[in-house]
Amino acid sequence: MSRFCGAVAAGVIFALFSPMLALSAEPVGQATLIRTEVSGRTGPLVVRSPVHKDERIRTSSSGLGQFIFKDGTKLAVGAGSTVVIDKFVYDDSASVKRLSIKAAKGTFRWISGNSASSAYSIVTPAGTIGVRGTAFDFYVGSNGTTAIVLLNGAASFCGPGGCRQLRQQCDCVIATRGGRMTDPSRVDRRTLQTLSNPRALPFLSGDQQLSGALGGIRTSCGLASLRQDRQERPQPQQRQERPAPQTPQQAPQAPQQAPQQAPQQAPDTPDQPDTPDKPDKPDKPDHHHHHHDWDHHGRDHHDRDHRGHDGDDDDRDRNGRHGHRSDN
């Protein structure tokens, strides 16, 4: 009985502490850059946080994580991504016998390390990326559609529809879960349209900035201009939309300001015949000045003045001048 109890106790202890034993396992890499929010098996990651075999790494909708593995392989994990470090088998030297990751969704950049090309593999829902001493970006959509863009070296993509070889810089292959696969061709804006995501390749377009060796790749494959296009397009729409809510606010102000200035003109018009000695100096500038102000505040008031007050003022002005000449 005592042996049975001891075995049960040992099983309970193992079950309780096995996660801790797993976490205490030797790390296979570490984080070199964390922006916004990136989480691992134990929670949020920070710079120099270790990562382990079988660890699932997730980024928020604006998150970015950069990682380096023990053999020097570098991996960038862009916004809204999920990846699992599936296999990591050590070698006797600074290289590894096996390094495999499973990319469930999101955007990534890969730069191979010191291990043999055959040691690397990247599994996606649409197929497997084979590495040939390479740097490349790849994207996995929510429906499993996968795109890979070669940056240097060489790579292959194999799925149910066969294999494609990428040998030229900026070559791109798109594959679906069902086995459809394009031939390698240069990536361009049509690639993003096919993927139905203008930010499917954020490291090339510049939507997310990388650092160090991951950000040191000089080519953007012509996609960097797309970010500028997206920034410029909303500006005309914003300018057109801004006056719209102001129009009803300005409309009621016109009739309020017009009556306030109308009484100011009333004492000016009867004063003209009372000062016949100086008809030309104060009256004409004041007369035009007030009409200029009314033009800015309301056309209806301006029209009424031309039909009413202006006619009377002009008649009195002509009579005043004529009378002045007869006296002289």
Side-chain angles (χ1 to χ4, degrees):
M1 183 67 180
S2 60
R3 291 181 180 179
F4 176 77
C5 293
V8 173
V12 171
I13 293 173
F14 178 80
L16 290 174
F17 289 97
S18 58
M20 297 180 63
L21 293 174
L23 293 177
S24 65
E26 186 176 0
V28 298
Q30 69 175 9
T32 59
L33 175 70
I34 299 294
R35 290 179 184 161
T36 310
E37 184 179 350
V38 182
S39 62
R41 182 168 49 189
T42 60
L45 298 177
V46 297
V47 174
R48 296 184 180 178
S49 289
V51 291
H52 304 82
K53 179 178 175 293
D54 297 326
E55 184 162 11
R56 183 181 299 271
I57 299 171
R58 295 185 177 92
T59 61
S60 66
S61 59
S62 60
L64 173 63
Q66 292 183 197
F67 303 88
I68 184 170
F69 295 97
K70 282 200 166 184
D71 73 329
T73 296
K74 300 170 182 65
L75 175 68
V77 184
S81 304
T82 302
V83 62
V84 177
I85 303 171
D86 184 40
K87 295 178 181 179
F88 196 97
V89 180
Y90 288 103
D91 200 345
D92 296 335
S93 60
S95 62
V96 296
K97 292 181 179 179
R98 185 71 171 167
L99 173 55
S100 175
I101 66 171
K102 289 183 178 180
K105 66 173 183 176
T107 58
F108 309 88
R109 173 167 289 183
W110 170 282
I111 298 180
S112 298
N114 302 321
S115 303
S117 298
S118 58
Y120 303 116
S121 66
I122 299 172
V123 180
T124 76
T128 301
I129 301 173
V131 180
R132 302 289 183 268
T134 316
F136 53 84
D137 285 6
F138 63 102
Y139 165 79
V140 180
S142 58
N143 60 354
T145 298
T146 301
I148 174 174
V149 179
L150 183 68
L151 301 179
N152 60 55
S156 64
F157 191 92
C158 295
C163 293
R164 300 290 187 272
Q165 303 297 322
L166 297 93
R167 297 185 176 91
Q168 300 294 325
Q169 187 179 61
C170 298
D171 270 357
C172 176
V173 169
I174 302 176
T176 65
R177 284 179 182 268
R180 289 183 297 174
M181 188 182 305
T182 65
D183 292 326
S185 62
R186 185 175 178 86
V187 65
D188 56 22
R189 66 175 66 235
R190 291 174 299 178
T191 305
L192 303 180
Q193 294 173 356
T194 301
L195 298 173
S196 301
N197 185 352
R199 292 176 172 79
L201 299 167
F203 309 138
L204 291 176
S205 63
D207 288 320
Q208 287 192 300
Q209 301 292 330
L210 299 175
S211 67
L214 285 163
I217 296 175
R218 298 303 179 187
T219 181
S220 66
C221 298
L223 295 184
S225 60
L226 299 181
R227 183 170 180 261
Q228 184 66 26
D229 291 344
R230 289 195 296 270
Q231 290 177 342
E232 292 176 352
R233 286 176 186 173
Q235 293 179 359
Q237 297 178 358
Q238 292 176 357
R239 291 176 182 175
Q240 294 176 0
E241 293 173 357
R242 285 177 182 173
Q246 296 177 359
T247 302
Q249 296 177 358
Q250 294 176 354
Q253 294 178 358
Q256 293 176 359
Q257 294 176 357
Q260 292 176 358
Q261 294 186 0
Q264 296 177 2
Q265 183 65 14
D268 292 340
T269 52
D271 288 344
Q272 293 177 358
D274 294 338
T275 56
D277 294 336
K278 297 180 180 180
D280 295 331
K281 294 182 180 178
D283 292 343
K284 288 185 178 180
D286 289 344
H287 177 72
H288 290 291
H289 175 72
H290 287 295
H291 279 284
H292 179 71
D293 290 342
W294 294 336
D295 232 358
H296 283 286
H297 293 288
R299 292 185 178 179
D300 294 340
H301 191 67
H302 178 73
D303 294 338
R304 288 197 303 272
D305 292 338
H306 277 292
R307 291 193 299 268
H309 296 299
D310 286 354
D312 296 341
D313 291 344
D314 292 340
D315 292 342
R316 281 195 293 268
D317 188 56
R318 288 194 295 270
N319 292 337
R321 291 180 183 177
H322 179 70
H324 184 66
R325 293 191 189 94
S326 61
D327 292 340
N328 292 336

